[in-house]
Amino acid sequence: MSELKKLLGKRIREIRVARNLTQEDLSELTEIGASSISKIESGHFHPTDENLERIAKALNVEPYKLYMFNHQKDIDDLKQDIIKMLDKASDEDIKLAYKVLSGILD
């Protein structure tokens, strides 16, 4: 089983759960069998382009967002990414980021 299939499956599951959908719900919305949804989420099966579009539409995300795996980086890498983003940000964006983080972390 390829790493890409595993990551894609985990990402689809993560978004599905965040949307409070069961595999059966996603199956109904996409007209893809529940067993196929299970195989996709477990990384045993890669969806066709058509099914990937159906899944993205049902989850209300752009298809490319299903391939956004940065959230699975380790903590040190995430901290470094944040520092790099802040280094490139405008003063206004830094102020906004501070407000957001303060609201979350305080």
Side-chain angles (χ1 to χ4, degrees), residues 34-97:
S35 64
S36 292
I37 297 290
S38 176
K39 289 176 185 174
I40 291 168
E41 289 187 359
S42 65
H44 289 88
F45 203 79
H46 192 279
T48 64
D49 291 343
E50 181 180 309
N51 285 346
L52 195 61
E53 287 177 356
R54 289 178 180 181
I55 291 168
K57 184 177 179 181
L59 296 174
N60 198 28
V61 297
E62 293 294 322
Y64 76 90
K65 291 200 176 200
L66 298 176
Y67 289 95
M68 295 181 78
F69 308 133
N70 332 7
H71 64 288
Q72 296 177 358
K73 291 183 177 181
D74 67 31
I75 297 300
D76 289 333
D77 288 341
L78 292 173
K79 288 179 182 178
Q80 288 301 315
D81 285 352
I82 291 169
I83 291 168
K84 288 176 189 174
M85 286 186 256
L86 289 173
D87 286 343
K88 296 177 187 176
S90 69
D91 290 348
E92 289 303 311
D93 287 341
I94 292 172
K95 289 176 185 177
L96 177 61

Side-chain angles (χ1 to χ4, degrees), residues 15-34:
I15 297 170
R16 175 183 60 75
V17 169
R19 302 280 193 273
N20 293 316
L21 297 171
T22 65
Q23 287 183 343
E24 291 75 21
D25 294 333
L26 186 57
S27 174
E28 289 178 23
L29 291 169
T30 59
E31 297 181 356
I32 299 169

